[in-house]
Amino acid sequence: MLMKNTEKEINLVIITGMSGAGKTVAIQKLEDLGFFCVDNLPPVLIPKFAELLNESGGKFEKVAMVIDLRGREFFDSLFGALEKIEGMEKINYQILFLDANDSVLVQRYKETRRHHPLAPQGLPVDGIRQERQLLQELKGRADLIIDTSNIKPTRLKEKISSIFNKFSKRLTINIQSFGFKYGIPIDADLVFDVRFLPNPHYIENLRPLTGKNPEVSEYVFKWDVSKDFMKRLTDLVDYTLPYYQSEGKSQLVIGIGCTGGKHRSVAIAEFLGNRYHDQYNVRVTHRDMERGKS
């Protein structure tokens, strides 16, 4: 799918289509990819929302919104809203239309035991036929149409990721040092235990310092075991990061732990932060650096 104008600062994805075709799955995946998401915004409010985005000063670079017939009383105003967006300096919008054949949609309504929004008291097939007619023109204006008739939710998420991941920022890596005696960070995706490395705590002049101090860092990395470990660690991280990003992961938390989180883990976290800051969005934090001695 081609963007209408790749030079604009804000990418707005409008998700619409048949009820039951997977709009909720699509917006959930876009949220995972770092999009600011709005569900079921009435079309009459789209121009005002777009104005706020246009004047946000770059705070919102990727936005997705779901428009469906839950707001059908406003639906006729959608095309006028789109014309206004086209004239905005910073916003580039595209329409993603999700579809499925009638028999599949009927079966999905039976499985969920939900009523179709256009036939709350009638048969789902009646609402589906009415909705398809109402959406015909909008479908013709869509930039991308995905037929989900034979696609499971997990596969739809993969497809959404493959299409829109290129509009995501670089992977954000949160590198956090910590002390095992204070517990492992509950949000860590990867945890590395460095308690086997020589400990600056036992060097009297290094004990009051932290791993951010050059003297401590030099001590931690001067040993053969430290050099060998860092080679293996960086090889592993170098190998896995591109796969995390291509899979659609927007954030990765790497925990580096020593006994107290003051010396070894801090020095290694700082090293990794410096290594990857040009390739990824990197944030380095030291949870327990001021709490105790390693």
Side-chain angles (χ1 to χ4, degrees), residues 29-30 73 88 123 136 207 230 281 285 289 293:
K29 186 57 191 178
L30 288 175
E73 64 271 22
M88 292 186 177
L123 297 174
Q136 185 175 1
R207 187 178 304 161
M230 292 307 297
N281 297 319
T285 58
M289 186 174 68
K293 301 175 181 180

Side-chain angles (χ1 to χ4, degrees), residues 207-248:
R207 187 178 304 161
L209 307 176
T210 73
K212 297 182 74 171
N213 187 283
E215 294 178 53
V216 174
S217 180
E218 181 180 351
Y219 179 88
V220 169
F221 293 122
K222 76 176 184 178
W223 308 97
D224 288 342
V225 63
S226 302
K227 295 174 184 177
D228 186 47
F229 171 72
M230 292 307 297
K231 173 65 166 58
R232 295 169 186 266
L233 174 61
T234 53
D235 282 349
L236 175 63
V237 176
D238 287 349
Y239 177 78
T240 56
L241 288 181
Y243 287 100
Y244 280 117
Q245 180 155 287
S246 64
E247 185 270 338

Side-chain angles (χ1 to χ4, degrees), residues 10 17 44 66 75 106 131 153 155 197 203 224 238 248 257 284:
I10 302 170
V44 70
V66 171
F75 207 74
V106 169
E131 183 180 35
R155 178 68 186 102
L197 297 178
I203 307 301
D224 288 342
D238 287 349
V284 179

Side-chain angles (χ1 to χ4, degrees), residues 37-102:
C37 295
V38 179
D39 191 10
N40 196 29
L41 184 71
V44 70
L45 298 180
I46 291 178
K48 178 56 68 176
F49 178 69
E51 287 177 13
L52 294 174
L53 294 176
N54 205 46
E55 298 169 1
S56 66
K59 293 181 180 179
F60 301 96
E61 296 180 1
K62 303 174 300 175
V63 182
M65 65 172 67
V66 171
I67 302 294
D68 62 27
L69 290 183
R70 285 177 291 175
R72 60 188 178 277
E73 64 271 22
F74 303 105
F75 207 74
D76 291 340
S77 62
L78 176 60
F79 296 119
L82 295 180
E83 289 179 4
K84 292 181 180 179
I85 294 177
E86 288 176 356
M88 292 186 177
E89 179 183 358
K90 299 179 181 179
I91 298 180
N92 172 53
Y93 82 88
Q94 55 196 308
I95 299 173
L96 167 63
F97 191 98
L98 298 176
D99 201 355
N101 64 52
D102 290 2

